[in-house]
Amino acid sequence: MMVTATAKAKPAQTRTHLLAAAAEEMRQNGFRAASLDHILTQAGVTKGALYHHFRNKLELGYAVLEEVFRVQLLENWAHALEDASDPIDGLIQQVRQLAETATAESLQHGCPLNNLAQEMAGVEEGFRVRIERVFGDWRGLIASALEKGKSDGTVRVNLDSDKSALFITAVIEGSVGAAKNARDPAVLKSCFEGLEHYLLALRPRVSFRGSGARSAGTS
Amino acid sequence: MMVTATAKAKPAQTRTHLLAAAAEEMRQNGFRAASLDHILTQAGVTKGALYHHFRNKLELGYAVLEEVFRVQLLENWAHALEDASDPIDGLIQQVRQLAETATAESLQHGCPLNNLAQEMAGVEEGFRVRIERVFGDWRGLIASALEKGKSDGTVRVNLDSDKSALFITAVIEGSVGAAKNARDPAVLKSCFEGLEHYLLALRPRVSFRGSGARSAGTS
């Protein structure tokens, strides 16, 4: 009773603690093997408070996907693309940063969104649809940046930005997956070098900004 | 008793049935959510017979990985590369065939090897090491074919075949993963078109076989 009262007194905080603990548990164990008891212990919250906020484990999982994983991914990429002088530079900086900050430890659990997709897409339609929406938003961010690059003259005008964004995100997820299983940042670096060559080849053959040297070294 | 006797009479067959049923269960549900009871029902085998062949669920999982998933993957790719006149053609034919035969149904569970990697690499070192060996063998097949292509003049001589094989397999797994979550063969086709462009760019700038037209259309 007392705990329920506490949960009601600070419902938003309780919810935030639950989401953070559930996100960490799902990062480590995926969704189906995630332990509710462990989440409750980590969040310092009772089962009653949990069910005050989420009808069941599935609803908690959806909330982690949409309020934690989705937000982190999109904010990260939105900033990377906004900060860059042009989309190709922005994408290259972002994949370089991912490669440079990766460690054997950070790679242990790979990309939580991709893990969730591989685990749940085939068995739980509600997750699949929600994950697809996140992937779609991520691709949309990249495609918009590429479209802007086309009008700015930093991306070749005959590029299909949607297809390219899909390819870029698939290469990233495949690369992180390979590095995760190898438990080796060098695997990520190597794959991302291949991706960089692809990205450099998205520049116009002759740059409209007079920086033709950019498209060198793409072989 | 009778069942144990039967299992002993045809131990190899019982083992094969167990592996086939376990492979199907793992394709659909991954390893941790795989139900031993369901595997036994599907295989028509008792728990006693199971433990006659495999010490525990983990050992059964390892055997599925090494005797089913590994063998299927490597045989498939070895044939594709052996049958082809040159490695680039072989790789392109293989990814085209994967894209053409994919359906929403076949994509539902994606690549069992990749699913296993994403599920288990972070939590069970025995799986991670065994999966990495399979990935390594697959990359090795492709790298050897590319090396042969370098000496035959069908692949540019300055290519790092190991890095290229790693990139190719990462793109394939990333593409299958994206298509699995989208439940859409068009996603696989689109990603594999990007991979085809990459593969075509592995040809020598000027072909030693007088078929310079091959390297056209790589942009």
Side-chain angles (χ1 to χ4, degrees):
Chain A
M1 282 298 163
M2 215 183 76
V3 175
T4 306
T6 311
K8 276 184 186 165
K10 306 178 186 172
Q13 225 173 313
T14 304
R15 198 170 184 285
T16 305
H17 288 160
L18 275 168
L19 283 179
E24 189 51 34
E25 177 73 6
M26 283 168 64
R27 262 193 208 96
Q28 290 184 26
N29 289 305
F31 176 72
R32 285 177 298 180
S35 154
L36 276 186
D37 286 340
H38 194 231
I39 291 169
L40 294 176
T41 311
Q42 291 303 111
V45 164
T46 62
K47 202 159 262 190
L50 169 69
Y51 290 114
H52 172 74
H53 288 284
F54 304 98
R55 254 190 315 166
N56 48 41
K57 187 181 174 186
L58 194 61
E59 218 173 64
L60 174 63
Y62 290 168
V64 167
L65 168 62
E66 297 187 320
E67 297 175 46
V68 183
F69 296 161
R70 177 182 185 282
V71 171
Q72 284 173 351
L73 178 80
L74 297 185
E75 280 186 355
N76 194 356
W77 281 82
H79 287 158
L81 292 170
E82 279 160 15
D83 290 351
S85 56
D86 76 58
I88 313 282
D89 282 348
L91 290 163
I92 290 177
Q93 289 310 317
Q94 175 71 353
V95 297
R96 279 192 189 165
Q97 208 205 321
L98 289 172
E100 279 159 15
T101 56
T103 63
E105 291 69 38
S106 74
L107 286 170
Q108 183 177 354
H109 298 297
C111 167
L113 183 66
N114 193 42
N115 293 346
L116 213 48
Q118 301 317 310
E119 181 192 356
M120 299 308 292
V123 295
E124 214 285 314
E125 184 67 7
F127 256 123
R128 188 188 74 77
V129 170
R130 285 168 175 81
I131 294 164
E132 195 56 24
R133 213 146 51 202
V134 181
F135 275 130
D137 289 343
W138 182 23
R139 289 170 199 152
L141 271 180
I142 296 174
S144 298
L146 291 172
E147 281 298 301
K148 191 171 170 298
K150 281 160 78 170
S151 41
D152 291 351
T154 55
V155 172
R156 61 182 168 80
V157 289
N158 63 343
L159 183 75
D160 183 326
S161 297
D162 290 331
K163 282 184 77 160
S164 183
L166 170 61
F167 185 71
I168 291 165
T169 55
V171 174
I172 289 170
E173 293 298 5
S175 304
V176 172
K180 170 185 170 178
N181 200 77
R183 194 77 57 87
D184 185 356
V187 165
L188 195 65
K189 274 198 187 71
S190 175
C191 290
F192 280 179
E193 279 172 36
L195 180 56
E196 267 197 43
H197 287 161
Y198 169 82
L199 291 170
L200 286 168
L202 303 185
R203 292 216 178 278
R205 295 285 183 230
V206 178
S207 172
F208 297 119
R209 295 163 73 215
S211 55
R214 283 175 186 276
S215 55
T218 63
S219 67
Chain B
M1 282 299 163
M2 217 182 75
V3 176
T4 309
T6 310
K8 276 183 184 163
K10 305 177 187 173
Q13 226 174 312
T14 303
R15 197 170 186 284
T16 305
H17 288 162
L18 275 168
L19 283 178
E24 189 51 35
E25 177 73 7
M26 284 167 64
R27 262 192 208 98
Q28 290 184 26
N29 290 306
F31 177 72
R32 285 177 297 180
S35 154
L36 276 186
D37 286 339
H38 193 232
I39 291 168
L40 295 177
T41 310
Q42 291 303 110
V45 164
T46 63
K47 203 160 260 187
L50 168 69
Y51 290 113
H52 171 75
H53 289 283
F54 304 98
R55 257 190 313 169
N56 48 41
K57 186 182 176 186
L58 194 61
E59 219 173 64
L60 175 62
Y62 290 168
V64 167
L65 168 63
E66 297 188 319
E67 298 175 45
V68 184
F69 297 160
R70 177 183 186 280
V71 171
Q72 284 173 351
L73 178 80
L74 296 185
E75 281 186 354
N76 194 356
W77 281 82
H79 288 156
L81 292 170
E82 279 159 15
D83 290 352
S85 56
D86 76 58
I88 312 283
D89 282 347
L91 290 164
I92 289 177
Q93 289 311 317
Q94 175 72 353
V95 298
R96 281 193 187 164
Q97 208 204 320
L98 289 173
E100 280 160 16
T101 56
T103 62
E105 291 68 38
S106 75
L107 286 171
Q108 183 178 353
H109 298 297
C111 167
L113 184 66
N114 193 43
N115 293 347
L116 213 48
Q118 300 318 310
E119 180 190 358
M120 300 307 293
V123 294
E124 213 286 315
E125 184 66 6
F127 256 122
R128 187 188 75 76
V129 170
R130 285 168 176 81
I131 294 164
E132 195 55 23
R133 213 146 51 202
V134 181
F135 276 130
D137 289 344
W138 182 23
R139 289 169 198 152
L141 271 180
I142 295 173
S144 297
L146 291 172
E147 280 299 300
K148 192 172 170 297
K150 281 161 78 169
S151 39
D152 291 351
T154 56
V155 172
R156 61 182 167 79
V157 290
N158 62 344
L159 182 76
D160 183 327
S161 297
D162 290 331
K163 280 183 79 160
S164 182
L166 170 60
F167 184 71
I168 291 165
T169 55
V171 174
I172 290 170
E173 292 299 6
S175 305
V176 173
K180 171 185 169 177
N181 201 78
R183 194 77 57 86
D184 185 356
V187 166
L188 194 65
K189 274 197 188 70
S190 174
C191 289
F192 280 181
E193 278 172 35
L195 179 56
E196 267 197 43
H197 288 160
Y198 169 82
L199 292 170
L200 287 168
L202 303 184
R203 293 215 178 278
R205 294 287 182 225
V206 178
S207 171
F208 297 119
R209 295 163 71 215
S211 54
R214 284 176 186 278
S215 55
T218 63
S219 68

